[in-house]
């Protein structure tokens, strides 16, 4: 076991790296356990056009590389591995990576969220070969091809509209006969000639050998099966927060997000803070994640400065 540190940051998307920049500049010598998939969801995007400071846009992976460099410049130490286990029931808190145990007086959790999948075997087999969870990353590869997108929320509609820039046609497959997406997004989709809908339908199977050739759809009302010939399927059915590690240790809400106090990143355990998509159902933007990473760093710093009352800190 190593000596207890002031702060360990778990995760390395915009929230984790912003927390790293701030805690490093506050001389808290943060250790960022960045995960095997370091950089978070922006590593899966191409152009980021809405992150202030980059008037010409910036590639997602490049933005994350710059954030990491900035965090390193002020002395953040990185471990490129996944955390296996945490213990927030004793202090200093325990964080395990492989066989190594780290201890810290405070922890900032920025483990983000992951795209939900349909759970089909064929989906796994064809992921990256016609099945994608990221229209902005992969849309370009489907020029002049028919595509389908599954989901009925804002993401599905936004991605469907985006994909019409490339595809010959985009079919939105939705399990109900009413979209969940906001009215303005619905209007955009209904007004787009290249977008079709398959209502009350779910994807039963994805057929293709090394590439997507067609979908088998099941009508949720009649049970009838039908084929839809497409060359790509985009899955946009929401995200799940990456909180398995924290079950039983922190309060999570019904959807598994870490509960934080209003206008704060404080969790149910004093000294543990959560920032970014792991606690945010609503905004899920790189800039809001970065903003809450900054909040977590400032809250951790202030908490550490006044934590004499907590035994073991
Ligand atoms: P979401 O709002 O949770 O929508 C998920 C959609 O996928 C729903 O239509 C849901 O169907 C469907 N779905 C879920 N599981 C499914 C399954 N196993 N099989 C088939 N369909 C399934 O998620 P989201 O669209 O990613 O949006 C998340 C949040 O980000 C929302 O608050 C959204 O407003 C926001 N957002 C905003 C914008 C924007 O304003 N530009 C863009 C993107 C996202 P049901 O409707 O039947 O539940």
């Amino acid at each position: 076991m190593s000596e207890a540190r002031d702060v360990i940051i778990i995760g390395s998307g915009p929230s984790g790296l912003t927390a790293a920049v701030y805690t490093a500049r506050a001389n808290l010598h943060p250790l960022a356990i960045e995960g095997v998939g370091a950089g978070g969801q922006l590593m899966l995007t191409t152009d980021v056009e809405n992150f202030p400071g980059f008037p010409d846009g910036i590639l997602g992976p490049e933005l994350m590389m710059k954030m990491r460099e900035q965090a390193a410049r002020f002395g953040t130490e990185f471990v490129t591995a996944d955390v296996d286990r945490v213990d927030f029931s004793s202090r200093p808190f325990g964080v395990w990576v492989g066989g190594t145990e780290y201890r810290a007086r405070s922890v900032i959790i920025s483990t983000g969220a992951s795209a939900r999948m349909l759970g089909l075997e064929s989906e796994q087999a064809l992921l990256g070969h016609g099945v994608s969870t990221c229209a902005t990353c992969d849309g370009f590869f489907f020029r002049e091809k028919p595509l389908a997108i599954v989901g009925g929320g804002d993401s599905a509609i936004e991605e469907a509209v985006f994909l019409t820039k490339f595809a010959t046609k985009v079919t939105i497959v939705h399990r109900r006969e009413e979209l969940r997406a906001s009215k303005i997004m619905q209007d955009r989709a209904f007004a787009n000639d290249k977008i079709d809908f398959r209502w009350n339908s779910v994807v039963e199977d994805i057929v293709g050998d090394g590439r997507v050739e067609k979908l088998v759809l099941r009508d949720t009302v009649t049970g009838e099966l039908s084929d839809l010939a497409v060359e790509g399927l985009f899955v946009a059915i929401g995200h799940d927060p990456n909180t398995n590690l924290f079950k039983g240790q922190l309060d999570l809400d019904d959807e598994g997000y870490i509960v934080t106090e209003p206008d704060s990143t404080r969790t149910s355990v004093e000294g543990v803070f959560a920032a970014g998509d792991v606690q945010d159902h609503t905004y899920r933007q790189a800039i809001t994640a970065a903003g809450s990473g900054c909040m977590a760093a400032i809250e951790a710093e202030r908490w550490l400065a006044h934590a004499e009352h907590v035994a073991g800190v």
Side-chain angles (χ1 to χ4, degrees):
M1 182 180 92
S2 52
E3 203 181 307
R5 317 181 64 108
D6 283 330
V7 60
I8 286 178
I9 298 164
I10 307 176
S12 59
S15 63
L17 292 177
T18 304
V21 169
Y22 272 76
T23 50
R25 290 188 79 254
N27 276 338
L28 296 177
H29 312 293
L31 176 72
I33 304 177
E34 60 183 347
V36 174
Q41 294 178 71
L42 279 194
M43 299 301 282
L44 305 174
T45 58
T46 50
D47 286 326
V48 179
E49 295 184 329
N50 54 8
F51 200 90
F54 300 94
D56 300 322
I58 182 167
L59 294 174
E62 194 186 345
L63 178 61
M64 297 323 299
M65 196 183 69
K66 283 179 183 289
M67 285 192 199
R68 192 183 189 280
E69 273 173 24
Q70 196 171 349
R73 177 181 157 209
F74 298 111
T76 304
E77 280 177 57
F78 289 92
V79 170
T80 310
D82 289 334
V83 170
D84 302 310
R85 184 162 76 85
V86 296
D87 179 10
F88 297 152
S89 66
S90 62
R91 294 174 193 269
F93 301 126
V95 177
W96 284 263
V97 178
T100 310
E101 175 181 347
Y102 298 94
R103 291 268 159 192
R105 299 164 71 211
S106 71
V107 171
I108 296 175
I109 298 169
S110 305
T111 47
S114 302
R116 234 176 252 157
M117 303 300 292
L118 297 170
L120 302 168
E121 257 177 49
S122 50
E123 174 186 47
Q124 277 310 313
L126 291 166
L127 195 61
H129 302 279
V131 175
S132 168
T133 57
C134 178
T136 42
C137 322
D138 299 330
F140 184 79
F141 303 119
F142 295 92
R143 279 181 188 282
E144 302 302 319
K145 297 194 166 146
L147 297 177
I149 186 151
V150 57
D154 280 326
S155 300
I157 304 304
E158 190 173 70
E159 299 200 353
V161 171
F162 173 79
L163 288 170
T164 59
K165 289 205 271 185
F166 310 101
T168 48
K169 186 164 143 191
V170 178
T171 305
I172 296 177
V173 178
H174 185 37
R175 62 186 178 183
R176 296 186 289 141
E177 59 185 351
E178 197 185 348
L179 294 173
R180 176 178 294 278
S182 53
K183 178 80 173 57
I184 185 168
M185 300 293 280
Q186 297 200 17
D187 290 348
R188 259 182 229 171
F190 293 140
N192 192 315
D193 290 344
K194 279 188 166 182
I195 295 181
D196 255 7
F197 291 87
R198 290 290 291 263
W199 302 107
N200 295 320
S201 297
V202 291
V203 178
E204 193 80 355
D205 201 8
I206 308 163
V207 181
D209 191 7
R211 65 188 180 91
V212 174
E213 286 160 25
K214 67 175 183 180
L215 307 180
V216 179
L217 303 182
R218 179 170 53 81
D219 188 303
T220 54
V221 179
T222 63
E224 232 170 78
L225 297 180
S226 62
D227 287 351
L228 178 67
V230 289
E231 295 190 34
L233 173 66
F234 287 80
V235 181
I237 58 172
H239 288 78
D240 289 316
N242 298 322
T243 51
N244 277 343
L245 272 179
F246 312 112
K247 280 184 186 150
Q249 305 254 358
L250 296 175
D251 285 354
L252 307 181
D253 70 14
D254 292 344
E255 293 174 67
Y257 288 80
I258 295 178
V259 176
T260 50
E261 290 176 28
D263 300 324
S264 166
T265 62
R266 285 192 295 270
T267 68
S268 54
V269 173
E270 211 181 317
V272 179
F273 303 86
D277 285 10
V278 75
Q279 52 85 56
D280 173 15
H281 299 238
T282 313
Y283 304 107
R284 301 179 40 236
Q285 300 299 303
I287 190 68
T288 49
S292 73
C294 163
M295 285 168 63
I298 291 175
E299 290 188 300
E301 184 191 351
R302 290 184 182 159
W303 182 79
L304 285 166
H306 299 100
E308 316 79 37
H309 64 287
V310 183
V313 174

